[in-house]
Amino acid sequence: QVQLAESGGGLVRSGGSLTLSCTISGRTRSPYVMAWFRQPPAKDRAFVAAINWSGLNTYYTDSVKGRFTISRDNAKNTVYLQMNALKPEDTAVYYCAASFAVGPPSTRTTYNYWGRGTQVTVSS
């Protein structure tokens, strides 16, 4: 059974930084792609960033380009999301997702494994 565990969320002031981590366990084959999505209060879950397991390809939603960086450590089966210059509108529950099949990296239905989420709150 594949399990994803996120960590690193918290409360930070506007302009601050946080690093989220997501560790995957329970399967020997590496996911084709891993991603971060986020769900602000009373809104739908939306794509933030994705990375294929080779690390050669990364994808970002426009609102985080230049501020967020997704990376991975295959030896640790972990994906990271470095978030800089945080804004109050970045406040959300952040979810890690994994896919073992090919699909559009920014589409929710590409991913069949999800973590439970970690709260990120950015105060103004």
Side-chain angles (χ1 to χ4, degrees):
Q1 181 69 22
V2 175
Q3 293 185 326
L4 280 69
E6 303 105 332
S7 62
L11 173 64
V12 64
R13 291 185 177 180
S14 181
S17 299
L18 281 175
T19 300
L20 305 183
S21 301
C22 173
T23 301
I24 186 167
S25 60
R27 190 159 177 173
T28 56
R29 185 165 65 93
S30 297
Y32 181 80
V33 61
M34 292 193 71
W36 290 94
F37 286 73
R38 65 186 179 186
Q39 187 166 12
K43 294 185 178 180
D44 291 336
R45 194 174 300 185
F47 171 75
V48 176
I51 186 168
N52 72 334
W53 206 244
S54 71
L56 294 178
N57 296 307
T58 56
Y59 312 86
Y60 298 93
T61 191
D62 287 346
S63 63
V64 307
K65 287 180 180 177
R67 300 189 298 123
F68 291 11
T69 302
I70 190 169
S71 61
R72 90 284 180 265
D73 184 335
N74 288 344
K76 296 182 179 180
N77 289 328
T78 300
V79 174
Y80 305 96
L81 185 67
Q82 173 69 44
M83 305 184 293
N84 298 325
L86 282 161
K87 305 175 182 179
E89 51 263 44
D90 294 317
T91 294
V93 177
Y94 283 70
Y95 295 90
C96 179
S99 174
F100 291 86
V102 176
S106 62
T107 303
R108 283 183 61 178
T109 54
T110 294
Y111 302 91
N112 45 6
Y113 297 99
W114 294 83
R116 294 186 176 182
T118 185
Q119 176 70 46
V120 172
T121 303
V122 185
S123 63
S124 56

